[in-house]
């Protein structure tokens, strides 16, 4: 079966990578798709987010990374994707994810499965990591070294500009 892990990944965290690795064990192929949530302002461009994910998942043979334009369900239909995989940290994630899963099911019949985030990463969010990094905090425990370097470069650019 083919699965998709869609998200903003701004940037990818150890929490996302845990879900992607577990999906890669459960399914034959996993597509990680960098999408757009119209409610969010992004720090990294879509291409930068794809590049960070490709680097962070390069050890996983059955995982590919792609850009997601348009509707997730259209993308899934075009690529014969059977199931959407999402990670859940806490109850407020569930409320939003449930609504999206129901909308995607209503649009196309596609199923969503939700994996509980590993307790070790339950406190992580890309938003908080960006905030901590901008204010000079150490985020090296939450992201890969490659991602940490890219965040540091963005923060330095913003400070210079
Ligand atoms: O990491 P996020 O921000 O929760 O990811 C949300 C994302 C990008 C997966 C979601 O906004 C999405 O699926 N966007 C693609 C456009 C779409 O299909 N929107 C309707 C979702 S019900």
């Amino acid at each position: 079966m083919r699965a998709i892990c869609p998200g903003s990944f701004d940037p990818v965290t150890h929490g996302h990578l845990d879900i992607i690795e577990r999906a890669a064990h459960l399914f034959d192929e996993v597509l990680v798709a960098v999408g757009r949530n119209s409610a969010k302002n992004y720090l990294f461009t879509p291409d930068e987010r794809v590049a960070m994910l490709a680097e962070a998942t390069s050890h996983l043979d059955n995982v590919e990374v792609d850009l997601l334009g348009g509707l997730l369900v259209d993308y899934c239909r075009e690529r014969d994707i059977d199931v959407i995989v999402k990670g859940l940290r806490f109850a407020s994630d569930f409320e939003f994810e449930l609504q999206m899963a129901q909308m995607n099911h209503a649009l196309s019949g596609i199923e969503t499965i939700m994996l509980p985030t590993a307790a070790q990463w339950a406190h992580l969010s890309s938003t908080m990591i960006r905030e901590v990094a901008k204010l000079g905090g150490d985020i090296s425990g939450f992201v890969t070294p490659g991602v940490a370097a890219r965040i540091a470069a963005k923060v330095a650019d913003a400070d210079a500009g």
Side-chain angles (χ1 to χ4, degrees):
M1 274 181 116
R2 282 161 74 80
I4 189 164
C5 293
S8 291
F9 304 108
D10 187 44
V12 59
T13 70
H14 283 323
H16 295 129
L17 291 173
D18 172 62
I19 297 291
I20 294 166
E21 282 174 8
R22 285 158 59 199
H25 279 115
L26 289 170
F27 297 98
D28 302 310
E29 286 172 58
V30 174
L31 243 144
V32 182
V34 174
R36 190 171 166 72
N37 174 343
S38 47
K40 290 188 176 172
N41 289 319
Y42 292 110
L43 176 65
F44 291 98
T45 66
D47 286 345
E48 286 172 328
R49 287 181 269 142
V50 167
M52 285 186 279
L53 271 162
E55 201 177 290
T57 59
S58 61
H59 60 295
L60 301 168
D61 290 341
N62 60 340
V63 172
E64 269 180 49
V65 184
D66 196 10
L67 259 183
L68 166 63
L71 273 182
L72 177 60
V73 291
D74 289 340
Y75 184 95
C76 292
R77 202 180 284 129
E78 283 158 19
R79 287 165 183 75
D80 287 327
I81 288 165
D82 307 288
V83 61
I84 298 168
V85 177
K86 291 293 195 86
L88 284 184
R89 289 165 301 185
F90 26 63
S92 56
D93 271 355
F94 179 70
E95 286 181 19
F96 184 50
E97 292 299 342
L98 177 65
Q99 220 179 342
M100 282 201 286
Q102 288 169 334
M103 174 57 86
N104 287 328
H105 190 265
L107 288 170
S108 74
I110 196 161
E111 296 291 0
T112 298
I113 67 163
M114 302 186 195
L115 296 179
T117 298
Q120 184 187 4
W121 307 122
H123 60 294
L124 294 190
S125 81
S126 299
T127 307
M128 251 180 228
I129 288 172
R130 293 195 304 271
E131 168 93 359
V132 170
K134 279 178 190 165
L135 298 173
D138 177 12
I139 47 121
S140 60
F142 313 136
V143 295
T144 62
V147 171
R150 282 176 185 258
I151 299 178
K154 281 272 178 199
V155 170
D157 272 0
D159 286 349

